Amino acid sequence: MDRNHLHDMVSVRQIMKSLRSLVAQDISTQDRLDRIVTLLAQRLRMDVCSCYITRPGGILELYATCGLDAKAVHETFLRIGEGLIGEIALQRRPLAVEDAWQHTSFVYKPETKEKAFKSLAGVPIIRSNRVLGVLAVQTKQKQSFSAELIELLETVGMVLAEMLGEQQLKTPTAKAVSTGGRQRIEGTGLIDGFALGKSVIHKRTESAVQVLAKDTVTETQKLRQALNRVEREVNKMLTRSRISGDQADIFETYLMFIKDKGWIAKMVKAIESGLTADAAVQKVRDEISARMALMTDPYIRERIHDFNDLASRLMRHLRRQTKSGDVIRLPKNTILVAQNLGPAELLDYDRTKIKGIILEEGSQTMHMVIVARSLNIPLICGIKNVCRIIAEGDSIALDATRGYVYLNPSDETLDELSNRAQHQKKLHARYAQMKELPAVTKDGISVSLNINAGLSQDLMVAEGTFFDGIGLYRTELPFMLADDLPDVKNQTTTYHKAILQARGKPIVFRTLDIGSDKVLPYFQRHVEENPAMGWRSIRMTLDRRALLRNQLRAFIRAAADRELRIMFPMIANVEEFLEAKKTLMMEVEREKRRGGKLPVSIKVGTMIEVPSLIFQLERLLREVDFISIGTNDLAQFLYATDRGNPLIWNRYDPLSPPLLKALKYICDACQQAGVPCSVCGEMAGRSLEAVALVGLGFRSLSMNPAALGAVKAAIRTMDQAQLEAYLTKQLQTSSHSLRETLKTYAQDHGILI
Ligand code: PEP
Ligand code: MG
C-alpha cells in the first residue's frame, strides 16, 4: 500500500474524529474496544484489526477483534516475546511483515482461525513506559504496509494507552479465563506432557468418628495392628508396583516413618491421655503437619505429604475401610485431581488408568512427584481450590508442558495440543539421544553437570541420564525427621549410603544448614526478628561446636578410603571458613589417633551465599579447594528479598545485570585463581538461566536431577563464545531483566530452551 493509496482510502483526520467520539461515549471498555477495532478494520480496509491487552505475568490476551474468530476473544493468550504480537510487546516497536507465516517468531493460534491471513502490522500500546497491549492489523492478500499506516496505528495506540491507563479491566486474568463453560486454568507443570480425560477427585480420610476411648490397652493394640498392616501394605505395593529396583527406595522414608519410635510413642501417649487410636493418629498427624508447615524450605515442607499420606492410611485401617493390597478402580483416561497426594496414595489407584494429575499443592522434589515421574504421568500443581473449580467427571485436557488445564476444551484446543504433543515427543527423543553424550557447547566447551540431593531418591531421578557428580548434598533432612539429634553412628550410615549410591562419582556434603526456617524440634529455638539473617547454618554450628564436630566425624568415617568433599554454608567472612576448616582438621587428627581409616583425600570448599564474601575473594580463594554459589540465598541477600515471601519473591529476576555481574565477578576471580567454581542454586536447573551461566563463564552446574535432560540439550545447542560476547554487552544495560532478550537470542540461535 503506498502513501497515496492511504490518502485515497481514508482521511486520518476522519478516523481520529470518530475515535474521539467513541472515547467520549459512556460505554464499557469492552464495547469501546470492539467498536474501535471494527472502525479501524473498515476504514483502513483491513481484513483484521485486533487489540491485545497485557495481563499480569506478562501475558497478552486477545481482547477485541474484527476479523479473527470472535470465539478466540479472551481465549487466546501469548506470552510477551511469543509470536509476532508478543515480539511487538517485547521489542516495544512497530512491526510490519509481508509474510507472517515465514517469520521466525510466528506462532499459529488455531482458535483465532487466522490461517487465511498473510500480512501483519502492529504497534505496541505504551503508557508511562509500560506496554499495556498491542494493536494489530492483518490482510488476506500479501502486501507491504506504508509508513503512514504505521504512524496512524501508533497514534491510535497512544489514544488507547490513555484510555486503558485509567481502566481496571474486569475480565478475569489468564489464571482462570472462562467462556461459556470452557475454562483455561494456569498452574505449574511439574512433569511435562499432554493428557486427555475425565476428572476423578481424590478424597482424603475424614476426621475421627469417635474421639474418646474406653479402653487404652485395646486402642494401643489396635494402633500396633494397624501399623503392621500398613507396613505390609507398603511392602506389597512395592512388589506390585512397576516401580522396582533402586526406585523402590522412594518408600524407604515411608517404612522409616512407620517404624519411627518417636512418632509411635507420641501416638501411644495420645491414646494414654484418653483418645481412641483413630483420634490419636489424627492429633499427632495434625501436630507434625503444623510443625512442618511452618517451615518455608520447600524441601522439608514436601515431606508433609508423606506424613499425611501415611497417617490417612493408618486411619483407614483403624476404621477397617481398607483391605491390604486393594487397588482403587478408576474409569479409563482418568485425570486425578487432588489437594495433595502422597506416593502410596497414588499407587493405591489403578495407575494404568491415570493419564494426568492436577494438584493444588506440590513441587519438584515431592515424593509423589518422583513416583509419578517414574510412571511418566504428566502433572500440574499450584492451582488454588482445584477440587472446587473442577467437578467429578469434567472433561479435561492437560498441557503440563505449559502448565495449562483446559476444562471442557474446544476442538481447536484439542488439535493444538495434539500438535504440541507431537513436538514434545520429538524433543524428548532428542534428549534421549543425548543421554550418553557429555554437555559440550557447539564451540567445544565442556560443562560439568551435577545434581543436588538430600535423600537417596534424588539420586534415582537422575538415573538414566548422564551426570558428573552430586554438587550439593543437603544434610538437613535426616536431622529434621529425627526426634533427637542423630548420633555419629546414624549419620555415618546415612552419608556412607549416599556415597555408595553415588557409585564413585564425586559427592559434595554440605554441613548442617539449620536455623532460619529449618527448625529442629529438639533444639531450643530463639525468637529472632530476621531469622534468615540470624543465628543459622555455620553461625549456629560454630557456636554449638559439638554439632559440627559430630557431623564432620561422620563424614570422615563415611568416606574412609575414599575421596571426601565438604563445604560450609552461609560463610560471611574468611575467618568463619578458617575456623570451620580448623575444626575439620582437628577431627581428622582425632580419627587418626583413634586408628580409624581416613579418606584418601579431603577437599574443603565454601558456598557463596552472603554477598560480603564477594569482597573477600582474594583471600578466600587462597584458602579453599572449591567454591559453590548458592544463588537462592545470594539473590535473596543481594536484592534484600525474602525468598520465601510470596509477595516479593519474584520481584527481581536472577537474569538481571546486578546478579549476573556479581556471578561473573566470582567466576572470573575463581578462574584466575585456578579454583573450581560451580553454581548450585535453583537457577542452574533452568535451561535459559543455565545457558546464561555458561555464557558468563561457568563450567560446572549443580541442579535438581529432573532438569538434567533439558539443561544438557540447551548447552549442546549453544555457542559459548558467541553468547559470552553478547552477554558482556547486555550486562552494561540497566535492564530490570534480561530474560526476554535472552529468550529471543536463544530462539534466533537455535538454542533448545
Ligand atoms: C542456595 O542458597 O542457593 C542453596 C543452594 O542452598 P539452599 O537452597 O539449601 O539454601
Ligand atoms: Mg542457601
Side-chain angles (χ1 to χ4, degrees), residues 197-408:
K198 299 251 185 240
S199 57
V200 169
I201 313 282
H202 169 74
K203 292 177 192 73
R204 262 261 153 81
T205 315
E206 306 292 316
S207 302
V209 186
Q210 200 183 332
V211 178
L212 296 178
K214 292 187 196 103
D215 180 358
T216 309
V217 179
T218 316
E219 292 299 319
T220 311
Q221 257 171 11
K222 270 200 227 164
L223 175 71
R224 294 209 184 271
Q225 281 163 2
L227 277 166
N228 284 340
R229 280 204 300 275
V230 172
E231 186 178 344
R232 279 203 299 276
E233 186 179 66
V234 173
N235 279 321
K236 221 178 210 172
M237 207 174 270
L238 282 172
T239 43
R240 195 183 68 206
S241 161
R242 259 198 289 133
I243 295 169
S244 59
D246 278 350
Q247 288 190 334
D249 261 20
I250 273 175
F251 285 91
E252 247 184 31
T253 329
Y254 256 68
L255 294 171
M256 194 175 87
F257 289 158
I258 294 171
K259 290 181 185 142
D260 185 84
K261 290 203 180 78
W263 186 45
I264 298 171
K266 276 192 185 113
M267 291 189 288
V268 170
K269 204 166 147 203
I271 291 174
E272 280 164 0
S273 75
L275 295 183
T276 58
D278 193 3
V281 177
Q282 195 184 331
K283 176 174 180 281
V284 176
R285 178 194 70 182
D286 293 348
E287 276 169 14
I288 292 179
S289 304
R291 202 173 76 193
M292 294 179 96
L294 282 178
M295 301 168 184
T296 52
D297 186 315
Y299 199 83
I300 308 299
R301 244 194 356 217
E302 281 144 22
R303 261 63 263 173
I304 297 177
H305 304 298
D306 299 346
F307 273 119
N308 280 339
D309 181 0
L310 195 68
S312 302
R313 189 166 299 276
L314 201 53
M315 284 157 80
R316 275 206 304 279
H317 276 283
L318 283 165
R319 294 169 203 181
R320 304 229 168 238
Q321 287 171 343
T322 317
K323 269 198 260 131
S324 270
D326 274 358
V327 175
I328 305 172
R329 287 170 190 276
L330 289 171
K332 63 176 183 190
N333 299 332
T334 289
I335 306 284
L336 197 59
V337 182
Q339 188 193 356
N340 56 50
L341 201 68
E345 278 176 311
L346 172 62
L347 292 180
D348 280 343
Y349 287 104
D350 175 359
R351 65 190 169 280
T352 58
K353 304 284 186 341
I354 304 177
K355 295 287 174 251
I357 299 172
I358 308 171
L359 296 179
E360 178 163 340
E361 299 162 9
S363 74
Q364 283 293 3
T365 45
M366 226 167 106
H367 288 166
M368 195 284 292
V369 176
I370 295 168
V371 175
R373 191 176 290 114
S374 75
L375 297 172
N376 213 5
I377 306 175
L379 186 148
I380 292 180
C381 74
I383 299 178
K384 265 213 160 326
N385 300 322
V386 69
C387 295
R388 268 183 262 155
I389 300 172
I390 298 175
E392 186 92 12
D394 271 345
S395 194
I396 291 187
L398 210 71
D399 175 354
T401 307
R402 280 185 175 166
Y404 294 161
V405 173
Y406 295 90
L407 247 178
N408 306 315

Side-chain angles (χ1 to χ4, degrees), residues 52 60 78-79 81-90 120 134 136:
Y52 294 78
L60 290 156
L78 289 152
R79 293 195 179 278
E82 185 188 7
L84 295 172
I85 300 297
E87 182 78 8
I88 294 165
L90 171 67
L120 179 145
V134 171

Side-chain angles (χ1 to χ4, degrees), residues 297 452 472 474 476 510 513 518 536 607 609 629-634 643 680-682:
D297 186 315
N452 296 345
L472 164 64
R474 293 179 166 104
E476 295 76 71
R510 177 175 78 179
D513 188 16
K518 298 178 206 163
R536 58 174 284 204
M607 294 190 74
E609 297 171 289
I629 308 177
T631 45
N632 305 340
D633 273 319
L634 186 62
R643 67 194 249 193
C680 67
E682 287 305 302

Side-chain angles (χ1 to χ4, degrees), residues 8-227:
D8 286 347
M9 219 169 56
V10 66
S11 144
V12 174
R13 266 208 247 125
Q14 260 179 0
I15 290 189
M16 296 316 287
K17 199 172 152 207
S18 310
L19 212 56
R20 272 196 297 276
S21 102
L22 268 175
V23 172
Q25 282 175 33
D26 188 18
I27 51 176
S28 71
T29 307
Q30 180 72 60
D31 279 348
R32 196 171 289 137
L33 281 175
D34 286 344
R35 291 189 203 184
I36 291 173
V37 291
T38 308
L39 171 91
L40 290 174
Q42 285 170 355
R43 300 275 180 90
L44 295 172
R45 292 192 208 152
M46 294 287 149
D47 297 308
V48 175
C49 180
S50 311
C51 182
Y52 294 78
I53 301 292
T54 312
R55 291 313 207 163
I59 306 246
L60 290 156
E61 175 183 340
L62 177 62
Y63 209 90
T65 186
C66 169
L68 294 181
D69 195 322
K71 285 201 223 98
V73 172
H74 305 309
E75 272 271 12
T76 295
F77 302 92
L78 289 152
R79 293 195 179 278
I80 299 221
E82 185 188 7
L84 295 172
I85 300 297
E87 182 78 8
I88 294 165
L90 171 67
Q91 301 298 343
R92 299 162 166 251
R93 275 200 302 264
L95 180 72
V97 283
E98 280 184 46
D99 194 341
W101 287 73
Q102 291 304 317
H103 197 281
T104 46
S105 297
F106 182 76
V107 171
Y108 176 52
K109 291 276 165 180
E111 69 272 29
T112 59
K113 305 228 165 65
E114 62 181 346
K115 234 178 200 149
F117 307 110
K118 289 274 180 315
S119 307
L120 179 145
V123 295
I125 303 169
I126 298 181
R127 186 176 194 265
S128 307
N129 213 19
R130 271 177 50 228
V131 180
L132 302 183
V134 171
L135 178 68
V137 292
Q138 288 170 272
T139 58
K140 280 186 185 150
Q141 294 295 322
K142 199 165 153 185
Q143 66 168 73
S144 59
F145 298 95
S146 69
E148 276 85 348
L149 179 100
I150 303 291
E151 253 175 48
L152 174 66
L153 290 178
E154 282 187 300
T155 313
V156 177
M158 273 156 56
V159 175
L160 290 180
E162 280 315 299
M163 192 184 107
L164 293 169
E166 308 303 330
Q167 309 288 327
Q168 280 294 322
L169 298 181
K170 293 213 177 62
T171 323
T173 69
K175 292 267 176 239
V177 181
S178 174
T179 45
R182 269 194 259 132
Q183 201 173 16
R184 193 190 72 178
I185 312 161
E186 198 174 315
T188 306
L190 287 187
I191 304 176
D192 282 0
F194 303 88
L196 216 63
K198 299 251 185 240
S199 57
V200 169
I201 313 282
H202 169 74
K203 292 177 192 73
R204 262 261 153 81
T205 315
E206 306 292 316
S207 302
V209 186
Q210 200 183 332
V211 178
L212 296 178
K214 292 187 196 103
D215 180 358
T216 309
V217 179
T218 316
E219 292 299 319
T220 311
Q221 257 171 11
K222 270 200 227 164
L223 175 71
R224 294 209 184 271
Q225 281 163 2
L227 277 166

Side-chain angles (χ1 to χ4, degrees), residues 295-560:
M295 301 168 184
T296 52
D297 186 315
Y299 199 83
I300 308 299
R301 244 194 356 217
E302 281 144 22
R303 261 63 263 173
I304 297 177
H305 304 298
D306 299 346
F307 273 119
N308 280 339
D309 181 0
L310 195 68
S312 302
R313 189 166 299 276
L314 201 53
M315 284 157 80
R316 275 206 304 279
H317 276 283
L318 283 165
R319 294 169 203 181
R320 304 229 168 238
Q321 287 171 343
T322 317
K323 269 198 260 131
S324 270
D326 274 358
V327 175
I328 305 172
R329 287 170 190 276
L330 289 171
K332 63 176 183 190
N333 299 332
T334 289
I335 306 284
L336 197 59
V337 182
Q339 188 193 356
N340 56 50
L341 201 68
E345 278 176 311
L346 172 62
L347 292 180
D348 280 343
Y349 287 104
D350 175 359
R351 65 190 169 280
T352 58
K353 304 284 186 341
I354 304 177
K355 295 287 174 251
I357 299 172
I358 308 171
L359 296 179
E360 178 163 340
E361 299 162 9
S363 74
Q364 283 293 3
T365 45
M366 226 167 106
H367 288 166
M368 195 284 292
V369 176
I370 295 168
V371 175
R373 191 176 290 114
S374 75
L375 297 172
N376 213 5
I377 306 175
L379 186 148
I380 292 180
C381 74
I383 299 178
K384 265 213 160 326
N385 300 322
V386 69
C387 295
R388 268 183 262 155
I389 300 172
I390 298 175
E392 186 92 12
D394 271 345
S395 194
I396 291 187
L398 210 71
D399 175 354
T401 307
R402 280 185 175 166
Y404 294 161
V405 173
Y406 295 90
L407 247 178
N408 306 315
S410 64
D411 288 347
E412 285 87 354
T413 302
L414 294 178
D415 281 351
E416 197 215 332
L417 285 196
S418 135
N419 288 340
R420 289 174 33 74
Q422 291 295 330
H423 177 71
Q424 182 86 3
K425 222 169 148 186
K426 280 189 206 148
L427 211 58
H428 279 282
R430 245 176 120 173
Y431 293 166
Q433 280 170 0
M434 295 181 190
K435 212 157 98 174
E436 302 296 328
L437 299 175
V440 179
T441 63
K442 287 203 298 195
D443 51 339
I445 305 286
S446 286
V447 181
S448 162
L449 293 191
N450 301 277
I451 60 162
N452 296 345
L455 273 182
S456 51
Q457 48 268 38
D458 296 325
L459 296 168
M460 286 156 226
V461 177
E463 246 171 42
T465 310
F466 179 85
F467 66 97
D468 296 292
I470 294 108
L472 164 64
Y473 191 92
R474 293 179 166 104
T475 55
E476 295 76 71
L477 202 71
F479 281 81
M480 313 215 48
L481 292 174
D483 242 21
D484 214 339
L485 215 53
D487 58 18
V488 177
K489 197 163 160 240
N490 262 324
Q491 287 189 58
T492 308
T493 311
T494 309
Y495 307 144
H496 186 64
K497 194 170 161 210
I499 292 173
L500 292 183
Q501 275 190 313
R503 299 199 187 128
K505 288 180 181 167
I507 173 165
V508 181
F509 289 105
R510 177 175 78 179
T511 61
L512 209 51
D513 188 16
I514 218 81
S516 180
D517 55 318
K518 298 178 206 163
V519 184
L520 298 184
Y522 41 84
F523 221 72
Q524 198 195 343
R525 225 186 142 181
H526 297 261
V527 179
E528 294 179 286
E529 289 239 340
N530 294 303
M533 296 192 282
W535 193 57
R536 58 174 284 204
S537 200
I538 196 73
R539 301 168 183 183
M540 182 196 266
T541 51
L542 281 176
D543 286 354
R544 295 276 183 274
R545 200 62 67 97
L547 201 63
L548 181 63
R549 286 178 56 180
N550 282 350
Q551 188 171 37
L552 295 172
R553 203 171 297 168
F555 288 149
I556 295 167
R557 290 184 190 169

